Amino acid sequence: GSFMLVNTSGRFAGQKAHLLLPHLKENDTHCIDFHYYVWSKSGSSPGTLNIYVKVNDGPLGSPVWNTSITAAWDRAELAISTFWPNFYQVVFEVVTSGHPGYVAIDEVKVLGHPCTKTPHFLRLQSVEVNAGQFATFQCSATGGTDSGDRLWLQVSSFLPNALRSGVGGEGEFITERNGKHGQQWGCPFYPYWDYSAFERLPQPPVPIAPPQLSSVGATYLWIQLNANSINGDGPIIQREVEYRTSSGSWYDIQPVDSTSYKIGHLDPDTEYEISVLLTRPGEGGTGSPGPALKTRTKCADPMRGPRKLEVVEIKSRQITICWEPFGYNVTRCHRYNLTVHYRYQAGGQEQVREEVSWDTESSHPQHTITNLSPYTNVSIKLVLMNPEGRKESQELVVQTDEDVPSAVPLESIQGSTFEEKIFLQWREPAQTYGVITLYEV
């Protein structure tokens, strides 16, 4: 007259109680026979009674049987056919609902013979789906069934992992994603199961080697797909090229119908990562991108020369200039030089000079030209250069300020002290550095 009981009164929803049978090693088909009782005075379910079969101390998986309400004591049978595990363990579980009531089990027996119901199964046909996709099995069983019987789909490596149940003698089942290659599935019929079909999971193809580079331009890359050697399964029905910038999140995918492909409309002097994607038949047949080719496009000719060349300050021997800031959209290359070219007349000869400006990244770029001659016209221009070309700014002509003239050469002194007169004679200074307005003795 004794039995195992859970009183759910005063319990929070979701609390659990477990009853574990000893480890069992019975081979071939045998039967777990038990009585159960789930009752509540209010008519609301006090909780759920679940049964699990845990194989080799593995995870519980999904319940192989459950119920949430009965009006009186009832009897159930659970038929088990075990051929592969070392041992298994039956676990009874009660999960409270938050409503008061009782969940009980009684007369749990392990019988060394099949259960009273042993329906016959129609054999499943093996199926092929790409790894990571769902597979569908149509299950049916005949003989000794009624509308209240439940049909399960289970997998041998996760005994008994019920995924979806039908009623009566038929059911359509969809397996979980990411199954194992060559996994065995079957349609167990409660309270009995058998395994009959294999699910083949071919792996989508992935190239072993990266694509090869054929030629490079400023806005294009020619590649060879180099995708004959693959990991995974064929046949290959589609090839695609995925390319992305090494920095940033931009990427694009283009279908390819030949072994070589020209990727166009690229940015100059930019590093790209290029991979090949292969697809086999069926949903989910596209593999992961293969190894990436990292390569960089060439620089392009600068768009234009520097603009708005202006004078900031003029002195007698130096000039400070500035210009409009510019960036990659003008230089079309991350490697470039900006030089200041200037020329002027000195000593009757034209002097031509060139200086590199190192302040090209400043928000207000400027440069000071020093060691100039006072009161001299200086022609100035900026030259922007990258490996592919050069562009010049407009020329700016600036005159330096005046400065103190050089020494006055005195040529002779004529006269006599008796006459109380002295006559002086001199030449204009070699460097006037401006307009001479007065000589003083």
Side-chain angles (χ1 to χ4, degrees):
S2 61
F3 53 88
M4 304 291 290
L5 178 141
V6 171
N7 183 353
T8 63
S9 300
R11 298 290 182 181
F12 297 108
Q15 290 186 279
K16 298 179 180 180
H18 286 157
L19 173 66
L20 284 70
L21 268 64
H23 287 141
L24 303 173
K25 295 185 178 180
E26 283 77 7
N27 204 353
D28 208 342
T29 300
H30 54 283
C31 189
I32 305 294
D33 185 297
F34 62 97
H35 287 74
Y36 61 95
Y37 181 69
V38 184
W39 178 85
S40 173
K41 185 176 181 180
S42 65
S44 300
S45 173
T48 302
L49 175 61
N50 299 316
I51 297 180
Y52 300 88
V53 178
K54 185 164 66 170
V55 176
N56 295 338
D57 280 336
L60 285 179
S62 301
V64 300
W65 183 94
N66 60 57
T67 187
S68 58
I69 192 73
T70 58
W73 283 97
D74 204 350
R75 181 184 177 186
E77 291 180 337
L78 186 65
I80 300 179
S81 297
T82 56
F83 295 95
W84 54 90
N86 295 326
F87 59 87
Y88 70 94
Q89 188 174 31
V90 177
V91 179
F92 292 83
E93 177 187 68
V94 174
V95 183
T96 60
S97 66
H99 298 287
Y102 301 96
V103 181
I105 56 175
D106 192 11
E107 298 184 35
V108 180
K109 302 174 184 177
V110 180
L111 305 176
H113 55 77
C115 297
T116 56
K117 289 184 178 180
T118 54
H120 304 285
F121 293 90
L122 298 181
R123 288 288 178 177
L124 289 173
Q125 296 296 317
S126 295
V127 300
E128 177 180 284
V129 294
N130 291 309
Q133 299 301 306
F134 295 107
T136 301
F137 291 93
Q138 188 72 36
C139 303
S140 61
T142 61
T145 68
D146 58 50
S147 60
D149 291 332
R150 298 199 293 175
L151 194 65
W152 301 90
L153 177 69
Q154 295 172 342
V155 57
S156 62
S157 57
F158 297 104
L159 170 71
N161 185 11
L163 300 170
R164 179 180 171 187
S165 67
V167 295
E170 294 187 1
E172 183 177 82
F173 304 98
I174 301 176
T175 69
E176 83 267 14
R177 293 180 187 266
N178 301 319
K180 294 183 178 180
H181 192 75
Q183 194 159 251
Q184 187 179 16
W185 293 86
C187 284
F189 191 82
Y190 169 75
Y192 178 85
W193 59 75
D194 187 19
Y195 295 91
S196 56
F198 283 88
E199 176 191 14
R200 184 173 180 269
L201 301 170
Q203 297 294 319
V206 178
I208 293 176
Q212 295 176 338
L213 186 64
S214 298
S215 63
V216 182
T219 58
Y220 70 87
L221 296 167
W222 268 105
I223 63 166
Q224 298 289 328
L225 267 60
N226 193 28
N228 291 332
S229 298
I230 64 170
N231 288 321
D233 300 296
I236 308 301
I237 61 171
Q238 180 176 295
R239 297 171 176 83
E240 294 173 296
V241 171
E242 177 186 277
Y243 52 100
R244 63 181 68 235
T245 53
S246 295
S247 60
S249 57
W250 180 91
Y251 78 99
D252 195 12
I253 297 177
Q254 294 292 333
V256 179
D257 56 4
S258 64
T259 58
S260 63
Y261 184 68
K262 179 182 179 181
I263 307 173
H265 307 290
L266 303 178
D267 292 328
D269 194 26
T270 301
E271 186 178 68
Y272 289 89
E273 297 180 9
I274 308 168
S275 302
V276 175
L277 291 93
L278 303 176
T279 301
R280 70 178 308 279
E283 183 179 356
T286 301
S288 302
L293 165 68
K294 285 189 177 182
T295 187
R296 180 178 290 273
T297 51
K298 289 184 176 180
C299 294
D301 193 45
M303 293 291 291
R304 55 172 174 81
R307 290 179 177 174
K308 296 184 179 180
L309 181 59
E310 298 174 351
V311 175
V312 175
E313 183 182 43
I314 300 176
K315 293 184 178 180
S316 60
R317 296 179 183 274
Q318 70 180 41
I319 298 172
T320 301
I321 58 173
C322 69
W323 56 92
E324 181 182 67
F326 54 82
Y328 169 80
N329 60 332
V330 174
T331 64
R332 306 265 283 170
C333 189
H334 298 290
R335 298 160 292 139
Y336 65 91
N337 289 324
L338 182 65
T339 56
V340 180
H341 292 243
Y342 59 97
R343 54 188 174 85
Y344 59 93
Q345 293 287 335
Q349 294 184 343
E350 184 176 59
Q351 303 294 321
V352 180
R353 299 285 186 270
E354 176 182 320
E355 296 180 5
V356 176
S357 175
W358 301 105
D359 199 21
T360 56
E361 300 300 326
S362 172
S363 57
H364 299 287
Q366 64 181 34
H367 182 78
T368 299
I369 306 170
T370 59
N371 300 320
L372 298 174
S373 296
Y375 201 58
T376 302
N377 286 331
V378 183
S379 297
I380 307 169
K381 65 180 178 181
L382 298 179
V383 179
L384 174 63
M385 293 179 292
N386 70 23
E388 296 300 316
R390 57 181 281 163
K391 288 288 190 301
E392 299 180 356
S393 70
Q394 292 184 343
E395 194 168 61
L396 179 66
V397 180
V398 184
Q399 187 182 59
T400 54
D401 287 346
E402 294 180 298
D403 201 357
V404 177
S406 61
V408 179
L410 187 63
E411 291 187 342
S412 63
I413 302 176
Q414 299 177 359
S416 169
T417 57
F418 297 100
E419 298 175 350
E420 297 180 348
K421 293 181 180 179
I422 297 175
F423 296 94
L424 303 177
Q425 183 176 345
W426 62 84
R427 296 194 308 272
E428 189 176 70
Q431 303 293 340
T432 62
Y433 295 143
V435 179
I436 302 296
T437 59
L438 177 66
Y439 289 95
E440 293 181 313
V441 178

